[in-house]
PDB file of all heavy atoms in Angstrom:
ATOM      1  N   ASN V 583       8.564  39.439   0.220  1.00 72.00           N
ATOM      2  CA  ASN V 583       7.840  40.588   0.698  1.00 72.00           C
ATOM      3  C   ASN V 583       6.308  40.334   0.749  1.00 72.00           C
ATOM      4  O   ASN V 583       5.527  41.207   0.512  1.00 72.00           O
ATOM      5  CB  ASN V 583       8.183  41.880  -0.146  1.00 72.00           C
ATOM      6  CG  ASN V 583       7.861  41.581  -1.612  1.00 72.00           C
ATOM      7  OD1 ASN V 583       7.638  40.438  -1.945  1.00 72.00           O
ATOM      8  ND2 ASN V 583       7.840  42.611  -2.409  1.00 72.00           N
ATOM      9  N   GLN V 584       5.986  39.031   0.981  1.00 78.00           N
ATOM     10  CA  GLN V 584       4.575  38.719   0.969  1.00 78.00           C
ATOM     11  C   GLN V 584       4.002  38.685   2.375  1.00 78.00           C
ATOM     12  O   GLN V 584       4.733  38.558   3.302  1.00 78.00           O
ATOM     13  CB  GLN V 584       4.344  37.382   0.282  1.00 78.00           C
ATOM     14  CG  GLN V 584       4.421  37.507  -1.228  1.00 78.00           C
ATOM     15  CD  GLN V 584       4.987  36.195  -1.785  1.00 78.00           C
ATOM     16  OE1 GLN V 584       6.048  35.758  -1.488  1.00 78.00           O
ATOM     17  NE2 GLN V 584       4.181  35.613  -2.628  1.00 78.00           N
ATOM     18  N   HIS V 585       2.690  38.673   2.391  1.00 83.00           N
ATOM     19  CA  HIS V 585       2.069  38.632   3.717  1.00 83.00           C
ATOM     20  C   HIS V 585       1.855  37.202   4.166  1.00 83.00           C
ATOM     21  O   HIS V 585       1.861  36.251   3.342  1.00 83.00           O
ATOM     22  CB  HIS V 585       0.713  39.341   3.673  1.00 83.00           C
ATOM     23  CG  HIS V 585       0.864  40.803   3.512  1.00 83.00           C
ATOM     24  ND1 HIS V 585       1.514  41.558   4.439  1.00 83.00           N
ATOM     25  CD2 HIS V 585       0.451  41.682   2.556  1.00 83.00           C
ATOM     26  CE1 HIS V 585       1.509  42.860   4.044  1.00 83.00           C
ATOM     27  NE2 HIS V 585       0.877  42.873   2.885  1.00 83.00           N
ATOM     28  N   LEU V 586       1.570  37.054   5.401  1.00 87.00           N
ATOM     29  CA  LEU V 586       1.236  35.724   5.971  1.00 87.00           C
ATOM     30  C   LEU V 586       0.121  35.068   5.188  1.00 87.00           C
ATOM     31  O   LEU V 586       0.162  33.853   4.850  1.00 87.00           O
ATOM     32  CB  LEU V 586       0.864  35.894   7.460  1.00 87.00           C
ATOM     33  CG  LEU V 586       0.364  34.638   8.152  1.00 87.00           C
ATOM     34  CD1 LEU V 586       1.484  33.621   8.285  1.00 87.00           C
ATOM     35  CD2 LEU V 586      -0.115  35.006   9.580  1.00 87.00           C
ATOM     36  N   LEU V 587      -0.868  35.859   4.853  1.00 89.00           N
ATOM     37  CA  LEU V 587      -2.051  35.342   4.195  1.00 89.00           C
ATOM     38  C   LEU V 587      -1.682  34.706   2.824  1.00 89.00           C
ATOM     39  O   LEU V 587      -2.141  33.632   2.491  1.00 89.00           O
ATOM     40  CB  LEU V 587      -3.082  36.442   3.988  1.00 89.00           C
ATOM     41  CG  LEU V 587      -4.496  35.965   3.772  1.00 89.00           C
ATOM     42  CD1 LEU V 587      -4.956  35.146   4.959  1.00 89.00           C
ATOM     43  CD2 LEU V 587      -5.409  37.124   3.515  1.00 89.00           C
ATOM     44  N   ALA V 588      -0.767  35.433   2.136  1.00 89.00           N
ATOM     45  CA  ALA V 588      -0.333  34.916   0.805  1.00 89.00           C
ATOM     46  C   ALA V 588       0.289  33.561   0.960  1.00 89.00           C
ATOM     47  O   ALA V 588       0.042  32.588   0.211  1.00 89.00           O
ATOM     48  CB  ALA V 588       0.602  35.884   0.183  1.00 89.00           C
ATOM     49  N   SER V 589       1.176  33.422   2.004  1.00 91.00           N
ATOM     50  CA  SER V 589       1.866  32.163   2.231  1.00 91.00           C
ATOM     51  C   SER V 589       0.850  31.078   2.541  1.00 91.00           C
ATOM     52  O   SER V 589       0.928  29.949   2.044  1.00 91.00           O
ATOM     53  CB  SER V 589       2.836  32.297   3.416  1.00 91.00           C
ATOM     54  OG  SER V 589       3.961  33.014   2.996  1.00 91.00           O
ATOM     55  N   LEU V 590      -0.095  31.402   3.345  1.00 93.00           N
ATOM     56  CA  LEU V 590      -1.157  30.395   3.730  1.00 93.00           C
ATOM     57  C   LEU V 590      -1.881  29.957   2.520  1.00 93.00           C
ATOM     58  O   LEU V 590      -2.164  28.753   2.335  1.00 93.00           O
ATOM     59  CB  LEU V 590      -2.150  31.012   4.731  1.00 93.00           C
ATOM     60  CG  LEU V 590      -1.720  30.890   6.195  1.00 93.00           C
ATOM     61  CD1 LEU V 590      -2.761  31.611   7.098  1.00 93.00           C
ATOM     62  CD2 LEU V 590      -1.607  29.457   6.606  1.00 93.00           C
ATOM     63  N   ILE V 591      -2.209  30.901   1.645  1.00 94.00           N
ATOM     64  CA  ILE V 591      -2.992  30.557   0.418  1.00 94.00           C
ATOM     65  C   ILE V 591      -2.131  29.609  -0.445  1.00 94.00           C
ATOM     66  O   ILE V 591      -2.637  28.629  -0.967  1.00 94.00           O
ATOM     67  CB  ILE V 591      -3.412  31.813  -0.365  1.00 94.00           C
ATOM     68  CG1 ILE V 591      -4.487  32.527   0.433  1.00 94.00           C
ATOM     69  CG2 ILE V 591      -3.887  31.455  -1.773  1.00 94.00           C
ATOM     70  CD1 ILE V 591      -4.920  33.851  -0.109  1.00 94.00           C
ATOM     71  N   VAL V 592      -0.823  29.929  -0.568  1.00 93.00           N
ATOM     72  CA  VAL V 592       0.034  29.064  -1.382  1.00 93.00           C
ATOM     73  C   VAL V 592       0.020  27.619  -0.804  1.00 93.00           C
ATOM     74  O   VAL V 592      -0.174  26.673  -1.541  1.00 93.00           O
ATOM     75  CB  VAL V 592       1.475  29.583  -1.400  1.00 93.00           C
ATOM     76  CG1 VAL V 592       2.438  28.576  -1.999  1.00 93.00           C
ATOM     77  CG2 VAL V 592       1.521  30.861  -2.216  1.00 93.00           C
ATOM     78  N   LEU V 593       0.176  27.527   0.534  1.00 94.00           N
ATOM     79  CA  LEU V 593       0.237  26.195   1.123  1.00 94.00           C
ATOM     80  C   LEU V 593      -1.108  25.449   0.940  1.00 94.00           C
ATOM     81  O   LEU V 593      -1.117  24.263   0.534  1.00 94.00           O
ATOM     82  CB  LEU V 593       0.608  26.265   2.613  1.00 94.00           C
ATOM     83  CG  LEU V 593       1.994  26.799   2.915  1.00 94.00           C
ATOM     84  CD1 LEU V 593       2.283  26.639   4.406  1.00 94.00           C
ATOM     85  CD2 LEU V 593       3.044  26.033   2.140  1.00 94.00           C
ATOM     86  N   LEU V 594      -2.186  26.174   1.202  1.00 95.00           N
ATOM     87  CA  LEU V 594      -3.492  25.459   1.091  1.00 95.00           C
ATOM     88  C   LEU V 594      -3.788  25.083  -0.354  1.00 95.00           C
ATOM     89  O   LEU V 594      -4.291  23.973  -0.587  1.00 95.00           O
ATOM     90  CB  LEU V 594      -4.590  26.405   1.600  1.00 95.00           C
ATOM     91  CG  LEU V 594      -4.573  26.579   3.114  1.00 95.00           C
ATOM     92  CD1 LEU V 594      -5.729  27.430   3.588  1.00 95.00           C
ATOM     93  CD2 LEU V 594      -4.608  25.259   3.872  1.00 95.00           C
ATOM     94  N   SER V 595      -3.406  25.935  -1.328  1.00 95.00           N
ATOM     95  CA  SER V 595      -3.661  25.504  -2.705  1.00 95.00           C
ATOM     96  C   SER V 595      -2.829  24.302  -3.066  1.00 95.00           C
ATOM     97  O   SER V 595      -3.273  23.470  -3.845  1.00 95.00           O
ATOM     98  CB  SER V 595      -3.467  26.618  -3.728  1.00 95.00           C
ATOM     99  OG  SER V 595      -3.131  27.798  -3.130  1.00 95.00           O
TER     100      SER V 595
END
Side-chain angles (χ1 to χ4, degrees):
Chain V
N583 57 347
Q584 284 148 301
H585 291 299
L586 175 64
L587 201 60
S589 286
L590 274 176
I591 289 174
V592 169
L593 294 188
L594 290 182
S595 356

